[in-house]
Amino acid sequence: MIENVHVAPVTGPEIPSGYIRIEGDRIAALGAGPAPAAPGATRIDGSGCLATPGLVNTHHHLYQWASQGLAQDATLFEWLVSLYPVWAAMDAEVVKGAAAAGLGWLALSGCTTSSDHHYLFPKGRGDLFAAGIEAAREIGVRFHPARGSMDLGESKGGLPPDVVVEELDEVLAATAEAVDAHHDPSFSSMLRVAVGPCSPFSASAELMTESAALARSKGVRLHTHIAETLDEEEHCLERFGTRPVDYVEKLGWLGPDVWFAHTVHLSDADIGKLAATGTGSAHCPSSNGRLGAGIARVSEMLRRGMNVGLGVDGSASSELTPLAGEMRQALLFQRARYGPGALTARQALELATLGGARNLGRADELGSLEPGKLADVVLWPVGSFAAAVADPVCALVFGPAPPPALVLVGGRTVVAGGELKTVSQDAAGRAGAAARRRLVRLAEERGVRPARHVHEDFTA
Ligand SMILES: [Zn+2]
């Protein structure tokens, strides 16, 4: 029983002082005023706290925790070309350490469910997909890994070097195997697998089409990168004669079971297609800013009925980005582009919660505080410095979000008092640093030097 707390349920009216009753892994009740009698219940005093649904991260590449701070001044394509050879050296140990640190970091910013898009599987380097899953199980957050893939190497006109891509048949077999081995469709699932060919410039049309068919035959969701940069748009126009959204539409990639990362460069017609088909977007403002990709038209997308969630994106393009901070980044980007009415604090909170749950196909289970939904709840301390802000939701979104006082996943404590409780926080941080050292060593053994800068004028 969480009592004396300001509840922002996201759906339904806010409760300035109320309670949330949790039974098992579900929310049993919430309401205004003092908590009702509940003999035997554990009581948590939420005084000075704002309760929100757990935040949902809908785009990430956890392995990138091990390659942060590189290619600091690069465009997306320069950044990828600089990093592919480094990533080619990764193994399961790198992925495990990177995922432990990355997911621990997310939990510390109020994330209770995270997706992961892993699309590089160098041969003979262990079970990379299972390594991320193991880390998620230890941290205790709900996990939605996409079995990603690339089959369009340089020799076939793609961007990645041939050494990091797979053959079409290998990908489909490994993806089917990943779904069969790990996917849990149940209501309170801690793990659901998606299918995720990487992008139009690294996955062939055949891979996109076959992936969609496979995902639909297995009843799992589809995820990829679309319309991230103008370079990608140019690439699509040159190679396919169409813009990115029109291209993937032809491949069967629009629908309520699809969510795209980025969607920065959408035309009016693109937005109309995504809205009409129920295709979702994972908005990653910090990454888009870091790579100079542009500002997505989020407030227009919302106005036209598109679903939008948030994502931190891989840490190599948004170093140490906390998920809660993406609410602020999204709000500021939209207002800088469209004016102060473009996105409210409560809309930003909805992107991070219910918008994310919709992207992952879990709006019935997650994303709002309602009786019957899963007890993924975050208490944000807004009673100290932040108490000077008139409105706790404004304090959370406009300000830098404070470390959570409590993070519950299905009623289980993952973070308390701003510290990880499921694993040693120090150990998770050290595992991430060790993963970086190991990746650098493995890359250097292959003659690859990870570069901090790709433009000489930035190196001083
Ligand atoms: Zn990405």
Side-chain angles (χ1 to χ4, degrees), residues 205-219:
E206 295 73 24
L207 176 56
M208 296 290 287
T209 310
E210 293 293 322
S211 293
L214 174 66
R216 283 165 184 150
S217 77
K218 299 259 178 210

Side-chain angles (χ1 to χ4, degrees), residues 386-410:
V389 182
D391 166 7
V393 175
C394 170
L396 173 66
V397 175
F398 282 46
L406 187 71
V407 175
L408 301 179
V409 178

Side-chain angles (χ1 to χ4, degrees), residues 59-61 64 117 119 223 225 228 261-262 284 287 313-314 317:
H59 187 61
H60 206 343
H61 313 286
Q64 291 182 10
H117 186 192
Y119 53 83
H223 183 50
H225 296 92
E228 181 172 358
H262 302 303
C284 307
S287 171
D313 203 358
S317 66

Side-chain angles (χ1 to χ4, degrees), residues 202-386:
S202 59
S204 67
E206 295 73 24
L207 176 56
M208 296 290 287
T209 310
E210 293 293 322
S211 293
L214 174 66
R216 283 165 184 150
S217 77
K218 299 259 178 210
V220 301
R221 298 179 74 77
L222 283 163
H223 183 50
T224 192
H225 296 92
I226 281 295
E228 181 172 358
T229 64
L230 289 172
D231 287 341
E232 176 194 326
E233 189 174 304
E234 248 168 61
H235 176 94
C236 287
L237 285 168
E238 254 169 47
R239 273 185 64 89
F240 317 122
T242 59
R243 296 166 41 76
V245 168
D246 298 330
Y247 172 62
V248 294
E249 180 186 24
K250 279 197 250 169
L251 305 177
W253 268 75
L254 297 187
D257 56 348
V258 181
W259 87 105
F260 293 139
H262 302 303
T263 64
V264 175
H265 299 282
L266 295 186
S267 66
D268 291 345
D270 292 339
I271 294 176
K273 283 182 181 179
L274 298 188
T277 54
T279 309
S281 166
H283 177 45
C284 307
S286 288
S287 171
N288 298 155
R290 198 277 203 190
L291 291 169
I295 299 176
R297 300 168 64 184
V298 171
S299 68
E300 294 179 78
M301 296 179 199
L302 294 175
R303 237 191 355 260
R304 295 185 58 191
M306 242 182 89
N307 185 61
V308 183
L310 294 182
V312 296
D313 203 358
S315 307
S317 66
S318 60
E319 282 80 357
L320 297 170
T321 295
L323 181 56
E326 291 304 83
M327 294 189 283
R328 180 174 200 260
Q329 190 64 46
L331 178 128
L332 296 180
F333 260 16
Q334 292 310 299
R335 290 178 175 211
R337 179 166 181 163
Y338 297 105
L343 200 71
T344 67
R346 283 163 179 81
Q347 281 179 304
L349 176 62
E350 183 171 345
L351 296 183
T353 52
L354 197 55
R358 286 197 189 107
N359 271 348
L360 301 184
R362 302 193 70 171
D364 293 342
E365 302 157 75
L366 307 172
S368 62
L369 302 177
E370 294 177 68
K373 280 198 166 183
L374 292 164
D376 292 8
V377 183
V378 183
L379 296 193
W380 306 93
V382 289
S384 178
F385 285 92

